[in-house]
Amino acid sequence: MCEANAYLRKEGEPDELFLEMVDRVVPCEDGLLLEDIFGKRKIIKAKIVELALVDHKIILERM
Amino acid sequence: MCEANAYLRKEGEPDELFLEMVDRVVPCEDGLLLEDIFGKRKIIKAKIVELALVDHKIILERM
């Protein structure tokens, strides 16, 4: 499976895991909608700062 | 490998392949920087409209 883990990046801190096994990411009114491979959804007011797919990483930053 | 293909979406048209085997996507001043697994880079003035990682798809829309 080619899902990725989503992490929150904060200046000067280690990246914090936000959601594992993310399949879909869709921008929405309130920021980003993330959906994992089981259909669990989380919305976060954040932007994508990096995708590193081979490393299975989505890096987000709160807005 | 868990790279994805990047497609350009245009209203009323089939998605158009923009770059295959994308590893990294990083927002930059001029839009998005995409890098494939071989290190080839393309910059496009676009935004992400959907990630569907299990389907290996990154959907972009020109800005």
Side-chain angles (χ1 to χ4, degrees), chain A residues 3 5-6 10 18 20-22 25-26 28 33 39 42 46 49-50 52-54 57-58 61:
Chain A
E3 74 287 349
N5 295 331
K10 284 182 208 167
F18 175 70
E20 286 183 295
M21 292 184 280
V22 174
V25 180
V26 184
C28 63
L33 167 70
K42 276 177 114 172
V49 294
E50 186 178 345
L53 298 178
V54 173
K57 281 188 181 178
I58 299 168
E61 213 172 70

Side-chain angles (χ1 to χ4, degrees), chain B residues 3 6-7 9 15-16 18-19 27 29 41 48 59 61:
Chain B
E3 74 287 350
Y7 298 87
R9 181 159 292 171
D15 294 340
E16 175 196 327
F18 176 69
L19 185 63
E29 240 179 64
R41 293 174 170 201
I48 295 170
I59 310 292
E61 212 172 71

Side-chain angles (χ1 to χ4, degrees), chain B residues 17-60:
Chain B
L17 185 62
F18 176 69
L19 185 63
E20 285 182 295
M21 292 183 280
V22 175
D23 172 19
R24 296 180 67 235
V25 180
V26 184
C28 63
E29 240 179 64
D30 295 321
L32 296 171
L33 166 70
L34 284 80
E35 187 177 299
D36 73 12
I37 58 169
F38 308 107
K40 183 174 133 187
R41 293 174 170 201
K42 276 177 115 172
I43 288 176
I44 181 171
K45 204 160 181 57
K47 59 179 181 178
I48 295 170
V49 294
E50 186 177 345
L51 299 178
L53 299 178
V54 174
D55 288 340
H56 298 253
K57 280 189 181 177
I58 299 167
I59 310 292
L60 308 175

Side-chain angles (χ1 to χ4, degrees), chain A residues 29-41:
Chain A
E29 241 180 63
D30 296 320
L32 295 171
L33 167 70
L34 284 79
E35 187 177 299
D36 73 12
I37 58 169
F38 307 108
K40 183 175 132 186
R41 292 174 170 201

